[in-house]
Every structure is written in structure tokens, then in C-alpha cells.
Amino acid sequence: MIILKSPREINIMRKANQIVAKTHEYLKNLIEPGISTAEINKKGDEFIREHGAEPSFKGYRGFPASICVSINDEVVHGIPNSQRILQEGDIVSLDIGTFYKGFNGDAARTFAVGKISKEAQKLLKVTREALDKGIKKALHKNHLSDISHAIQSHVEKNNFSVVREYVGHGIGTDMHEAPQIPNFGSPGHGPVLKEGMTLAIEPMVNVGDFKVKTLDDNWTVVTEDGSLSAHFEHTIAITKKGPKILSKI
Ligand code: MG
């Protein structure tokens, strides 16, 4: 069942997501060659708590850190580690979740570490654009898969692939609520979107094949072919006036 939120609840979710957005802005400035992923996690954890929220990923199904930090061919769920040091030319995806006054915030961004290759630049641009195109279809009375289709079309037009095994999701008092939001599919299917739905839309895009696997740490998801992967995510609310991006400053 898809839980509709009242304007009051959406307002609280906006605050939860504003803390996520501010944490991204703060961490963006710390990303440079030489910093460890554990340090990024520590700074992010402190920032979230200083702003009155809890890092919702911490302990979620046993996840051992507050922020997912995924480098290069790592797609999602990278575990921060003091031995993992960012290098010039890397791309790094940060996925950040907050819990604030009973509601969740969730957004992800992929950043460049110093100067990155042309291909990596294109990957970041196309993934960000795919998210924007998906959000533009998040309209009252559209079908859910209109979002999925817009994302997949843009990614494949640019000769990249969308990950199939991980998907976007409804969000609210629970971090993961119905519906699941695949980043692929034909338009016109799935539930009809309605004012009051709150969705985390999150394309994960690979330079090579869409296939992924999970490492022995049971968390880190990597591309099977070792190609680069990017991840952009926003939490939005459906309104009759169009999608409202809650995790954008
Ligand atoms: Mg998410």
C-alpha cells in the first residue's frame, strides 16, 4: 500500500531532506585526494546530528556506518574504511539518509575527486540528467513506470546502462515504503501517481553492462565488469502543481 502524506507531514519530510542536502553540500567541500572514506563518514555523521537529525543508515539491517561511500566501480552501499583513500581521478558516490521527527530523508550524489576522465564526466552528467528527466514525469495522474521509462531512455540513448537489481522507493516514516521504482521499463504501467505520494527516485548508471554483484563484506555492490558507476537520488513529493524536490536546497 502506498501511504499518502499530508501537507504537514511533507513539511517535516522536507526538513529531513534539507538536512540531507546540507550534508551533501558540506561533504562536497571535503572531497579531495587524500581523505579516507571513514573520515567522510565521520564528518557526515557529526553534521547530521548537529542539525538535529539521526543518520538513518546507521545500523539499518546491520549497516555499520552512517553514510554509504562508493568509489568508481562500486555502485551503492560502500562501507567507509580508514584504509580507503580517495585518489585524483576517482568518482565517489555518497548516499545519505536522515531520520527527523519521525520521517526519513534520503538523497545520493556522485562527486569527482580532482580531475576526472571525459567518460566519467559524461557518466555523472547523464546520470544527473536521467534523474531530472524521471522527476519531470513524477506528475499527479501519470503512471509510476513513466518515471522508470524516462530514466532508462536517457541513459541508453547515451550508451550507458541502468542497474536492474536496485531500485527507488516510496519513503516516509519508513525509509523504504511501497512502491518500488525501477529505473527501467515501458511507460504507462504500475500505480497511478497521486498528490501526497513521497518517492525516492535514484538511478544507478553503469558505463558498461548493467550486471552487478555484492562483495564478501555482504554490502558493497560493484559492477560485474568493473566499469564505473554513478548514483543520483532525490526525495520528491507529488503535488497537483508538479513534483516538489524535498532534498534540494
Ligand atoms: Mg534511497
Side-chain angles (χ1 to χ4, degrees):
M1 190 189 66
I2 303 177
I3 302 164
L4 301 181
K5 281 79 178 183
S6 68
R8 186 192 68 83
E9 291 170 325
I10 289 173
N11 204 31
I12 299 170
M13 286 189 66
R14 185 171 177 280
K15 287 179 183 149
N17 278 286
Q18 287 295 299
I19 298 169
V20 174
K22 284 178 190 159
T23 310
H24 272 296
E25 285 300 310
Y26 169 67
L27 293 178
K28 181 176 84 174
N29 293 318
L30 301 179
I31 287 173
E32 57 179 14
I35 192 169
S36 73
T37 58
E39 185 68 12
I40 294 169
N41 175 68
K42 180 170 170 277
K43 297 279 191 198
D45 179 285
E46 287 166 2
F47 189 92
I48 291 166
R49 293 179 197 279
E50 278 163 17
H51 285 76
E54 295 283 317
S56 54
F57 296 173
K58 177 113 193 189
Y60 183 81
R61 295 190 185 161
F63 188 74
S66 299
I67 292 175
C68 299
V69 187
S70 310
I71 302 174
N72 294 337
D73 63 324
E74 296 171 356
V75 180
V76 286
H77 306 162
I79 301 175
N81 182 322
S82 58
Q83 310 302 314
R84 282 305 291 286
I85 311 292
L86 297 187
Q87 313 280 339
E88 176 89 16
D90 285 344
I91 58 171
V92 60
S93 302
L94 304 186
D95 196 351
I96 302 175
T98 58
F99 191 67
Y100 176 81
K101 295 192 176 169
F103 286 87
N104 283 276
D106 190 5
R109 287 167 72 175
T110 302
F111 299 102
V113 183
K115 194 170 159 37
I116 59 172
S117 69
K118 283 265 178 300
E119 186 172 65
Q121 287 175 35
K122 183 183 168 194
L123 176 66
L124 268 50
K125 179 170 179 279
V126 168
T127 310
R128 209 167 40 225
E129 288 169 351
L131 173 58
D132 290 344
K133 285 177 189 287
I135 291 172
K136 285 207 170 75
K137 294 289 180 184
L139 302 173
H140 180 73
K141 293 193 173 164
N142 263 6
H143 284 268
L144 185 75
S145 80
D146 296 342
I147 299 172
S148 317
H149 182 70
I151 291 170
Q152 182 180 23
S153 306
H154 187 66
V155 169
E156 293 185 354
K157 201 169 70 190
N158 285 282
N159 298 315
F160 295 143
S161 67
V162 288
V163 171
R164 309 299 202 256
E165 285 178 52
Y166 297 86
V167 297
H169 49 96
I171 179 168
T173 54
D174 283 330
M175 180 158 47
H176 296 116
E177 297 184 350
Q180 292 200 344
I181 311 169
N183 295 301
F184 59 96
S186 50
H189 295 282
V192 174
L193 302 177
K194 255 198 211 154
E195 180 160 67
M197 289 182 183
T198 45
L199 308 174
I201 303 173
E202 51 176 322
M204 287 145 263
V205 176
N206 300 347
V207 164
D209 193 85
F210 65 78
K211 291 201 194 91
V212 298
K213 61 181 181 187
T214 305
L215 297 183
D216 289 342
D217 64 16
N218 287 324
W219 278 106
T220 313
V221 177
V222 299
T223 57
E224 236 181 62
D225 62 10
S227 68
L228 292 178
S229 187
H231 183 204
F232 282 86
E233 173 182 35
H234 270 311
T235 294
I236 64 133
I238 310 270
T239 80
K240 284 186 179 155
K241 288 188 237 152
K244 186 170 173 180
I245 303 177
L246 304 178
S247 52
K248 194 169 178 173
I249 289 173

